Amino acid sequence: MNATKSIILLLITIVVFSCNKNNNDDPTPDVIDSMGDLEVSGDFNWSAGLIGEITITLNNPLNVSTELEYIQIINEQGVVIDRKIVHDNTASFNVNLPQDADFYIYFPVTEDQLKIETLGSIAMTLGPTVDYVYRSYKSSEVVVCTSCDSPIENAGGELPYFPSGWRSFNESDVPGWETTATDNKIEMWTDGFLGVPAQEGRQFFELNATQVAALYQELCLEPGATIYWSVWHRGRKGVDVAQVMIGATTETAEFQATMSDGKTEWGYYSGSYNVPEGQTTTVFKFESVSAAGGNQSVGNLLDNFEISCDADGDGVIDRYDDFPDDPNSSFISYFPSDGKQIVAFEDLWPSLGDFDFNDLILSNQVEITKDKDGNLIEAKFRVSIDAIGASLDNGIAMMLYNSNVEVFTENIIEEISGDAILDPENTNGIILTNDVFQTINDRYQNNGVGPDGTPDTLRFTISFNSNAEDFIPELYLFRTNDRGLEIHRSGFPSTATINSDFFNTYDDAGNYKTSTGLPWGIEILIDEIYKNPKEKVDILIAYPEFQLWATSEGAQNTEWYLAPVSDKVVDINFD
Ligand SMILES: [Ca+2]
Ligand SMILES: [Ca+2]
Ligand SMILES: [Ca+2]
Ligand SMILES: [Ca+2]
């Protein structure tokens, strides 16, 4: 007894001494061996990962066409893990990225690539920095749906090069393009002439050269293929009108779209076209209809004609379509954005536990399908029950929140199938199991004390009713025999089933944190394997870098989970 008291006194002395020492401006915190002695800012979310918004701003000195193009996030293997459409040279992503791997912003049009280092604003400069050769970036895009070598030529009117102002060329001097004008003249402008910026590159066309006429290209496209075309149009003195015609010859080309634009902005036009069987030559014709000002040599500016394959006609070209043969599905993305999400819990809330964070450890990977507009179609979940150090019986549930971690105003779930059911008590809630021990096939704990076993994996699929573009899934625990006792990670709300009498009792400060900011659950986004602390081994002991990560609110030791003390963690190699 006396010995115990002495040790306690000694510990108190050490703690007091530590506190005093911390009051100095010494930036190096004292190393402690019990998480319960930590004090951490109340704002820290206890998540290891790059989680939040990234806003890309494109610097575009070469005037590459960026509007409505896709910008992507790719992983080290070059796999596209997310994409957004660029507007006004900017695009924003919500990311959940592991920090033990590298990720890049990638702009396919120019093949520019930039490593992601932080959240927030990222500026990216497009194009080669030296020795720029004037060219049209997208002059030979069609590679899949045609057997022809060069289906489109000089798409953005960058050839022939001329230094400034405007020129009238004979059609034989303009690669790829022909005109219906009887004098065979094609008029071209350079960027900035009469105050008009090129839509792409530094040159563009004026359809009305000396006559009201049409520009066209004769392309060799594979019969039976579906192609997707796009082009940009602008008025010169006011609202000019032209039309897009496609067919076997200039005479039989059929109307596709009317282009009508004023003189202040380029307008974007696009559509799909099915190349008829037997049609080996396809003519794309851009025909002047009317022009402001009444002079037939004035009007209808044109730039950046593109053709791509769109086999399923969903408006997403094959190159960007993760489901090129499914018109209802266009893109795959992931939660987390790459790797997997580990959530690790202490389950004695509202009382503190032993901080080994192995009472329940889940790893979660979600493959998300979206339509062409980015709306949710389907999500396939794989939730692995990695460790069960608990002695109590717990259930596992999930809530889907919007990207601000708020409840959706409406139900977004159409249907669920597989190893989970809808939560009858919570809209957009899911029950994975009412009792973990009843769900696993063979009893295992994977905590270094109880039996080891290959983790069971729960697989389920949610289909959505298209009311949302993104969701955050939150895995949480509840007590099998007391649904009102639910344990969330801090930063997430409790659900409709909570018994709020538990809040502010024992060690809880009302928000799933203690008065010193400690949580009952942590999150790790990880590309590698997470080895959990053995039973009753404090996570500060198992992972010496954890303490500074916590006290720096995640700013330092961002990869603490890669540096365990090897005999303090469970290291089981499951196939
Ligand atoms: Ca151009
Ligand atoms: Ca498509
Ligand atoms: Ca598709
Ligand atoms: Ca524990």
Side-chain angles (χ1 to χ4, degrees), residues 544-566:
E545 294 186 10
F546 185 94
Q547 181 186 336
L548 182 55
W549 174 74
T551 54
S552 69
E553 295 175 55
Q556 298 184 56
N557 289 355
T558 55
E559 296 171 25
W560 60 266
Y561 44 85
L562 298 182
V565 175
S566 59

Side-chain angles (χ1 to χ4, degrees), residues 52-58 69-73 81-97 105 116 118-122 337 370 373-374 403-404 469-470:
E53 191 169 73
I54 286 176
T55 299
I56 319 289
T57 304
L58 299 176
E69 296 288 341
Y70 288 100
I71 191 161
Q72 303 168 335
I73 295 179
I81 57 175
D82 205 358
R83 85 286 296 145
K84 294 287 177 193
I85 290 175
V86 178
H87 290 294
D88 295 331
N89 282 313
T90 64
S92 289
F93 292 87
N94 276 305
V95 297
N96 296 269
L97 292 169
I105 306 293
I116 297 173
T118 59
L119 297 172
S121 299
I122 297 177
S337 309
K370 297 183 179 183
D373 300 316
S403 48
N404 296 321
E469 296 186 9
D470 282 303

